[in-house]
């Protein structure tokens, strides 16, 4: 499917359940990799070992004392990721959310934006349905986001626009696409000094 066969428009209310399922599926695709990355960092391993040692004094089972802290940490991380990225944000000053639609009417991607710093814009959701990946949908949504960011900056009287896209550390393919489109890694956030999400930006 060529990108020219795609259109981007605002999401209709009757499409909301489908879009939410798409977002939840995208989170499931990355949450295990993010959890593995986070929980295998030395500080996390040290905390898990300390928690297991403490539980050995109150639990009769050594295996349970070893397993329980890991299980609770994974569950907490997954719930946090689903709460952050598995839902739709309220409409902001840039409008949306928007959906990418094929000529047949199939919704194959979703995009949400929010105002950023210095009259720029920030991608808060960008997801492509599993069966439509590697077909130009993500790039089409990204191009649309850049266009909206330029419009937003112009309305604020700014001569140039800037778009920021956060990417989970495990999503190396997305990072490669952004770099190929001229984005540069500019910052990150995480836990205990280890990166979980990198931020890519581009001056438009």
């Amino acid at each position: 499917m060529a990108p020219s066969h795609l259109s981007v428009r605002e999401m209709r209310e009757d499409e909301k359940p489908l879009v939410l399922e798409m977002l939840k599926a995208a989170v499931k695709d990355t949450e295990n990799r993010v959890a593995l990355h986070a929980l295998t960092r030395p500080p996390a391993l040290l905390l898990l070992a300390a928690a297991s040692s403490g539980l050995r004094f109150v639990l009769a089972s050594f295996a349970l004392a070893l397993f329980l802290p890991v299980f609770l940490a994974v569950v907490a991380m997954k719930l946090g990721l689903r709460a952050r990225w598995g839902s739709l944000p309220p409409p902001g000053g840039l409008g949306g959310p928007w959906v990418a639609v094929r000529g047949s009417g199939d919704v194959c991607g979703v995009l949400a934006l929010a105002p950023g710093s210095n009259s720029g814009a920030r991608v808060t959701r960008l997801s492509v349905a599993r069966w439509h990946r590697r077909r130009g949908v993500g790039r089409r949504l990204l191009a649309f986001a850049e266009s909206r960011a330029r419009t937003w900056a112009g309305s604020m009287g700014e001569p140039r626009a800037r778009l920021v896209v956060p990417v989970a550390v495990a999503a190396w393919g997305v990072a490669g696409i952004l770099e190929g489109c001229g984005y540069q890694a500019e910052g990150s956030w995480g836990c205990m000094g280890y990166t979980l999400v990198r931020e890519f930006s581009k001056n438009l």
Side-chain angles (χ1 to χ4, degrees), residues 13-33:
E13 188 62 28
D14 64 302
E15 293 167 337
K16 188 174 181 179
L18 175 63
V19 168
L20 285 172
E21 286 301 316
M22 190 185 306
L23 289 172
K24 291 175 182 177
V27 171
K28 289 180 181 179
D29 286 344
T30 60
E31 64 185 11
N32 289 329
R33 287 176 289 171

Side-chain angles (χ1 to χ4, degrees), residues 27-124:
V27 171
K28 289 180 181 179
D29 286 344
T30 60
E31 64 185 11
N32 289 329
R33 287 176 289 171
V34 172
L36 180 64
H37 175 84
L39 297 179
T40 53
R41 303 306 96 185
L45 292 173
L46 183 61
L47 288 175
L48 291 174
S52 296
S53 297
L55 286 175
R56 287 180 62 186
F57 292 101
V58 295
L59 296 176
S61 171
F62 171 78
L64 184 59
L66 189 65
F67 170 77
L68 189 59
V70 177
F71 173 77
L72 293 176
V74 170
V75 169
M77 186 164 294
K78 287 187 175 185
L79 289 176
L81 289 173
R82 291 176 189 180
R84 185 178 181 90
W85 288 332
S87 60
L88 277 172
L94 281 85
W98 295 273
V99 290
V101 184
R102 294 182 60 181
S104 59
D106 293 336
V107 173
C108 52
V110 58
L111 168 73
L113 296 169
S117 59
N118 301 322
S119 301
R122 180 182 182 87
V123 172
T124 57

